[in-house]
Amino acid sequence: QVQLVETGGGLVQAGGSLRLSCAASGRTSSSYAMGWFRQAPGKEREFVAAFTWTGSNTYYADSVKGRFTISRDGTKNTVYLQMNNLKPEDTAVYLCTADLITRLQRGQGYYWGQGTQVTVSS
């Protein structure tokens, strides 16, 4: 069993920045990728970014490429999402997940955090 806890959400003005954290605990495995999805009211959950512990590959949705950066601290089993130049359309609940990268790319996740709200005002 793996537990994922997200922190760092909040209210920010357009153009501002936030850094989300996802701390993993329990029976973690480097064979899993970790990533972020988001879900806005009335919209389907969408992929944002992912990181593979094995190979250190990163993946980004086109909508956030160049603005968001995913990184990690292996010692802390924590993945971060640095969000810069935030836009109102980035407003959503951001969810941390862990699964095989191929499953994350298909919009699936085996383990999920509780989510953290990001609200970007105009």
Side-chain angles (χ1 to χ4, degrees), residues 24-94:
S25 61
R27 298 184 65 180
T28 58
S29 173
S30 61
S31 65
Y32 279 1
M34 292 181 64
W36 295 91
F37 286 75
R38 66 187 183 186
Q39 187 164 25
K43 294 186 177 181
E44 295 183 348
R45 186 172 61 207
E46 65 175 338
F47 172 80
V48 176
F51 174 86
T52 59
W53 295 101
T54 301
S56 298
N57 300 121
T58 57
Y59 306 81
Y60 296 96
D62 289 341
S63 60
V64 306
K65 198 172 298 181
R67 299 187 298 120
F68 291 10
T69 302
I70 191 168
S71 61
R72 87 296 187 190
D73 184 335
T75 302
K76 300 178 180 179
N77 286 328
T78 299
V79 170
Y80 304 96
L81 185 68
Q82 178 67 46
M83 306 185 295
N84 297 325
N85 192 25
L86 284 161
K87 304 175 181 179
E89 52 262 43
D90 295 319
T91 296
V93 173
Y94 283 71

Side-chain angles (χ1 to χ4, degrees), residues 10-16 86-89 91 118-122:
L11 174 64
V12 66
Q13 291 183 316
L86 284 161
K87 304 175 181 179
E89 52 262 43
T91 296
V118 172
T119 302
V120 184
S121 65
S122 300

